Amino acid sequence: GGVKAAVAARSGLSTKQAEAHFDGYFQRQVAAAKAEAEKRHNEQEEETRVEVERAAQRKAESRKEEVRQREHNRAVRVEEEEHQMELKMQDAREHARALKIMAEEEQHTKVKKMSAAQARTDFESYFDKQVKVTGGAAKGAVHAAAGAVHAAAGRAAGGR
């Protein structure tokens, strides 16, 4: 080796010593490079393992979050459905109440109209009987009473 001979001449070492020195140096370099490569490989493996672990953890947390979100959404949906049902029931109750009031008012009006008509009919039949029973004598008094009853029946039918 030309380089080894030149180094040996300059440093005052024999060619054999220079060769041994170079061989030792190269072996140390190779060993150091191997050690460095192995260290880097191990670090890389560790980083990969840690990264895989982290990814698995993230995935698990993500799944947990999805489940939590689904549960939350379901709870919200159930709550909303219950709320809608409550509103429907409230509407139904109010509708039933309104129908009941309308029916009562209609019934009341019918009763009023009927009672006015009924009063007229009842009184007319009473009047007819009176005329038959008493003859003409009571006709005037009965006519006056009939007028009063008609007026009262009219007020009952009209006003509320």
Side-chain angles (χ1 to χ4, degrees):
V3 174
K4 288 180 185 173
V7 167
R10 222 176 300 131
S11 61
L13 299 172
S14 71
T15 306
K16 256 203 174 9
Q17 284 176 322
E19 278 177 8
H21 172 75
F22 264 94
D23 287 346
Y25 172 77
F26 279 120
Q27 279 172 354
R28 282 194 303 279
Q29 288 298 95
V30 167
K34 271 187 184 170
E36 186 58 34
E38 200 168 309
K39 185 178 157 199
R40 207 169 301 135
H41 175 73
N42 289 342
E43 284 172 358
Q44 195 67 49
E45 266 187 354
E46 180 61 15
E47 278 175 25
T48 302
R49 189 187 63 73
V50 166
E51 196 45 52
V52 164
E53 240 173 57
R54 281 198 194 120
Q57 206 171 342
R58 277 196 303 271
K59 200 168 193 177
E61 282 168 16
S62 171
R63 254 196 303 263
K64 236 185 272 174
E65 179 57 26
E66 275 174 28
V67 167
R68 197 194 62 71
Q69 192 63 47
R70 258 200 311 273
E71 286 300 315
H72 174 72
N73 292 347
R74 187 177 300 129
V76 166
R77 202 168 45 246
V78 165
E79 208 172 287
E80 184 56 31
E81 284 168 6
E82 285 173 356
H83 182 62
Q84 289 301 325
M85 185 60 68
E86 185 54 41
L87 289 178
K88 277 183 193 161
M89 286 167 65
Q90 203 173 321
D91 284 351
R93 283 194 298 270
E94 284 170 13
H95 185 64
R97 201 175 300 125
L99 286 179
K100 188 178 169 198
I101 290 169
M102 280 166 55
E104 283 172 1
E105 284 176 354
E106 203 175 293
Q107 190 60 37
H108 194 56
T109 304
K110 258 190 211 158
V111 165
K112 272 190 181 172
K113 282 181 183 161
M114 193 191 77
S115 59
Q118 195 67 45
R120 210 170 286 121
T121 306
D122 288 356
F123 193 80
E124 281 163 6
S125 64
Y126 171 75
F127 176 75
D128 289 344
K129 278 186 200 142
Q130 284 307 100
V131 170
K132 283 178 193 155
V133 170
T134 60
K139 232 179 214 177
V142 171
H143 254 302
V149 168
H150 275 290
R155 277 195 305 277
R160 240 183 51 143

